């Protein structure tokens, strides 16, 4: 599988734009590309997609982690270009997208052959658990529900080996000890401590980062 960071506060590839928010594209075998979150504004999202040669019309699934504007802001612009994608939102989200199929997620569910949602945790947010040859890779938006509860929920799909995404104020660092990939993005407040504690596992996040697993 391949995950590309499309929208982030930091930059990993020259020529892209940064902005407060998060979006990533997830490509796995036997499924159309999945867009996880849409950043804060459509112009930046679509600009970065163009630079990364991502065609918004090819996206088959859009998953929104939670209903904060820095994750949903680009959705309406994407939907203008993409009429067919299935949309998954956490159940607490009030989604009014006339004419679109919106799946509200409360319990853990399978989205494609190798992509699963943790279900809505703590009444606010869902994260993804992706099955790879190395185990489960977790992709999180802001982790408002707590990194520990996300890792616990994802563990029902297999052994978690890595996490990518916004970790917010998370500092229960021992929870990450058994992971081999730690890529804190967006709202993560303790990036420098994570980098220091997990030097070998740490990958710096930024718009344009591509991880192949
Ligand atoms: Zn948030
Ligand atoms: Zn956020």
């Amino acid at each position: 599988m391949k995950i590309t960071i499309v929208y982030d506060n930091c930059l990993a590839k020259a020529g892209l734009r940064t902005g407060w928010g998060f979006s990533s594209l997830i490509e796995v075998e036997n499924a159309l590309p999945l867009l996880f979150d849409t950043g804060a504004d459509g112009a930046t999202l679509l600009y970065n997609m163009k630079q990364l040669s991502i065609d918004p019309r090819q996206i088959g699934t859009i998953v929104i982690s939670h209903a904060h504007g820095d994750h949903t802001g680009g959705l309406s612009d994407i939907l203008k270009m993409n009429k067919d994608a299935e949309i998954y939102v956490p159940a607490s989200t009030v989604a009014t997208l006339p004419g679109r199929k919106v799946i509200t997620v409360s319990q853990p569910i399978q989205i494609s052959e190798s992509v699963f949602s943790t279900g809505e945790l703590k009444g606010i947010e869902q994260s993804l658990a992706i099955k790879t040859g190395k185990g489960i890779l977790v992709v999180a938006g802001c982790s408002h529900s707590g990194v520990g509860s996300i890792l616990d929920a994802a563990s029902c799909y297999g052994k978690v080996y890595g996490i990518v995404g916004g970790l917010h104020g998370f500092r229960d660092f021992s929870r990450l000890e058994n992971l081999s990939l730690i890529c804190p993005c967006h709202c993560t407040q303790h990036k420098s401590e994570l980098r220091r504690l997990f030097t070998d596992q740490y990958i710096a996040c930024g718009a344009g980062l591509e991880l192949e697993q």
Side-chain angles (χ1 to χ4, degrees):
M1 62 86 62
K2 179 177 162 188
I3 174 166
T4 304
I5 307 299
V6 183
Y7 200 117
D8 193 66
N9 324 351
C10 297
L11 194 66
K13 184 175 184 179
L16 297 190
R17 292 180 185 160
T18 58
W20 179 262
F22 186 71
S23 175
S24 59
L25 187 84
I26 293 157
E27 293 166 276
V28 296
E29 275 178 33
N30 304 324
L32 292 169
L34 181 157
L35 190 70
F36 179 69
D37 285 342
T38 63
D41 83 89
T44 302
L45 182 73
L46 293 174
Y47 179 86
N48 283 357
M49 281 188 168
K50 194 166 187 204
Q51 300 300 312
L52 292 163
S53 303
I54 297 166
D55 182 350
R57 292 165 299 185
Q58 298 298 315
I59 292 167
T61 307
I62 299 170
V63 178
I64 297 294
S65 66
H66 66 301
H68 288 170
D70 52 334
H71 299 256
T72 61
L75 182 59
S76 57
D77 280 1
I78 285 284
L79 294 182
K80 280 179 205 153
M81 303 180 70
N82 180 316
K83 305 292 179 197
D84 303 314
E86 279 193 338
I87 303 158
Y88 291 76
V89 302
S92 62
T93 306
V94 183
T96 47
L97 299 167
R100 301 299 297 245
K101 186 182 177 195
V102 179
I103 297 149
T104 52
V105 178
S106 43
Q107 299 303 312
I109 54 159
Q110 184 166 21
I111 292 172
S112 70
E113 191 178 301
S114 53
V115 180
F116 302 81
S117 166
T118 59
E120 184 182 62
L121 301 175
K122 306 269 171 79
I124 181 167
E125 186 167 344
Q126 63 176 331
S127 305
L128 296 181
I130 302 165
K131 276 190 180 170
T132 78
K134 297 176 180 175
I136 299 292
L137 180 67
V138 171
V139 185
C142 268
S143 301
H144 294 298
S145 50
V147 173
S149 67
I150 295 168
L151 293 174
D152 289 343
S155 294
C156 74
Y157 298 112
K159 192 174 177 337
V160 177
Y161 79 95
I163 186 165
V164 179
L167 306 185
H168 215 68
F170 168 76
R171 45 178 311 129
D172 184 9
F173 302 125
S174 63
R175 285 297 316 245
L176 305 182
E177 261 164 16
N178 295 322
L179 303 190
S180 53
L181 187 162
I182 299 168
C183 182
C185 306
H186 174 43
C187 57
T188 309
Q189 289 165 16
H190 301 293
K191 280 185 183 172
S192 51
E193 271 166 285
L194 287 163
R195 184 191 282 271
R196 182 171 54 80
L197 288 167
F198 302 102
T199 312
D200 294 338
Q201 298 95 320
Y202 192 96
I203 295 173
C205 188
L209 176 72
E210 297 178 4
L211 289 172
E212 290 201 50
Q213 299 291 309

